[in-house]
């Protein structure tokens, strides 16, 4: 039982390049989330998927897209990376968005855009 | 809208002593949940404790307890008998439940860095 896994762990991009951050969970959770963490700030929600087949914007969605590929996988895409997207990205999942269940976090992806 | 405020950027505590990390919140939701997460220097987010807004008793998990004062909108984390391994960033977070429309989204505070001295 790996929990929430993320790939890659580290990435360096040049401005304008694109990339996809992958996230998978093996806990049969319905809801998945992408957050970013910047220095001196807490985590901020980028996008979420309350259930398979649905996605919606969070607090800071600009410059990102997501895909809920199936119940297990939720990817985050940067179409044209900008230095302002330098951050640590966390994927999380929870059993169901309708209840007060703990969110389980992946190990994070540290992204640098030069 | 929901807001979490952690006013202590950094805290220091002596090993084996207790420490309280402050958290205040603001929400218009009648039902909500409060969470504390620990982030060590390795970067992962570790769930510590949860308190529901309708829970009558304060939550406890081992050395962690949550001092929940609903009227004051505060949810302070108390760590008893601090250990060197408790040195980390601590985040308070909440999610509301406004008729199911919050979809499990967490709102985080800015965090408090705790340093435990031997």
């Amino acid at each position: 039982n790996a929990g929430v896994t993320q790939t890659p762990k580290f990435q360096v991009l040049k401005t304008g390049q694109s990339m996809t951050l992958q996230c998978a969970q093996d806990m049969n959770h319905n809801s998945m989330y992408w957050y970013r963490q910047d220095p001196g700030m807490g985590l901020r929600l980028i996008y979420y998927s309350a259930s398979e087949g649905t996605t919606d914007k969070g607090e800071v969605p600009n410059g990102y897209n997501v895909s809920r590929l199936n119940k297990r996988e939720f990817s985050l895409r940067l179409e044209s990376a900008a230095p302002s997207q330098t951050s640590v990205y966390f994927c999380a999942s929870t059993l169901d968005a309708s209840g007060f269940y703990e969110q389980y976090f992946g190990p994070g992806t540290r992204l640098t855009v030069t | 809208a929901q807001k979490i405020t952690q006013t202590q950027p950094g805290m220091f505590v002596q090993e084996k002593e207790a420490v309280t990390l402050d958290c205040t919140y603001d929400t218009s939701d009648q039902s909500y949940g409060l969470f504390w997460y620990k982030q060590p220097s390795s970067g992962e987010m570790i769930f510590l404790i949860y308190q529901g807004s309708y829970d009558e008793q304060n939550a406890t998990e081992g050395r962690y307890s949550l001092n929940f004062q609903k009227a004051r909108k505060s949810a302070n984390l108390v760590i008893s008998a601090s250990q060197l391994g408790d040195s980390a960033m601590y985040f308070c977070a909440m999610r509301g439940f406004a008729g199911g429309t919050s979809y499990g989204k967490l709102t985080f505070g800015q965090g408090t860095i705790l340093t435990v001295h031997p």
Side-chain angles (χ1 to χ4, degrees):
Chain A
N1 190 339
V4 180
T5 57
Q6 292 182 237
T7 55
K9 285 188 168 53
F10 301 93
Q11 184 71 48
V12 179
L13 291 178
K14 288 184 167 44
T15 297
Q17 287 185 320
S18 63
M19 80 160 294
T20 299
L21 281 64
Q22 306 286 355
C23 173
Q25 52 89 11
D26 61 1
M27 296 174 283
N28 201 34
H29 285 173
N30 289 313
S31 306
M32 298 183 74
Y33 308 83
W34 277 105
Y35 296 89
R36 61 178 287 174
Q37 182 181 20
D38 301 306
M41 302 182 74
L43 279 69
R44 292 182 294 167
L45 183 66
I46 305 171
Y47 268 93
Y48 65 97
S49 172
S51 60
E52 187 180 356
T54 69
T55 62
D56 212 337
K57 296 177 181 179
E59 183 185 351
V60 288
N62 291 346
Y64 305 95
N65 283 302
V66 291
S67 295
R68 184 76 182 265
L69 304 169
N70 48 56
K71 191 172 185 179
R72 289 186 64 248
E73 298 171 287
F74 188 38
S75 63
L76 178 72
R77 182 159 178 85
L78 287 71
E79 290 292 350
S80 178
S84 60
Q85 294 178 306
T86 293
S87 189
V88 180
Y89 290 85
F90 287 97
C91 177
S93 71
T94 192
L95 179 62
D96 196 279
S98 64
F100 289 113
Y101 303 106
E102 171 192 348
Q103 281 195 15
Y104 293 81
F105 285 81
T109 294
R110 190 173 294 274
L111 175 67
T112 302
V113 183
T114 60
Chain B
Q2 299 168 355
K3 187 175 181 181
I4 293 281
T5 303
Q6 295 180 253
T7 56
Q8 305 156 315
M11 288 285 286
F12 296 89
V13 66
Q14 210 67 29
E15 195 178 8
K16 298 180 185 175
E17 291 186 348
V19 62
T20 297
L21 306 183
D22 294 341
C23 172
T24 58
Y25 61 90
D26 192 22
T27 182
S28 56
D29 292 338
Q30 293 299 308
S31 178
Y32 50 88
L34 295 151
F35 302 79
W36 277 91
Y37 283 85
K38 172 184 179 181
Q39 187 178 42
S41 57
S42 52
E44 72 266 35
M45 295 289 286
I46 302 167
F47 166 75
L48 295 177
I49 196 166
Y50 162 79
Q51 177 84 43
S53 60
Y54 288 111
D55 293 340
E56 294 187 351
Q57 291 195 330
N58 287 342
T60 60
E61 288 286 347
R63 293 186 300 111
Y64 304 107
S65 60
L66 201 152
N67 184 358
F68 180 49
Q69 298 189 43
K70 195 171 182 177
R72 293 187 177 184
K73 293 191 174 180
S74 74
N76 298 338
L77 177 70
V78 180
I79 305 175
S80 63
S82 297
Q83 302 172 354
L84 296 177
D86 293 334
S87 292
M89 175 80 88
Y90 288 80
F91 289 101
C92 180
M94 76 175 295
R95 69 149 289 191
F97 190 74
T101 59
S102 63
Y103 300 115
K105 296 176 286 183
L106 289 178
T107 299
F108 284 82
Q110 309 94 309
T112 296
I113 299 175
L114 176 67
T115 303
V116 181
H117 289 302

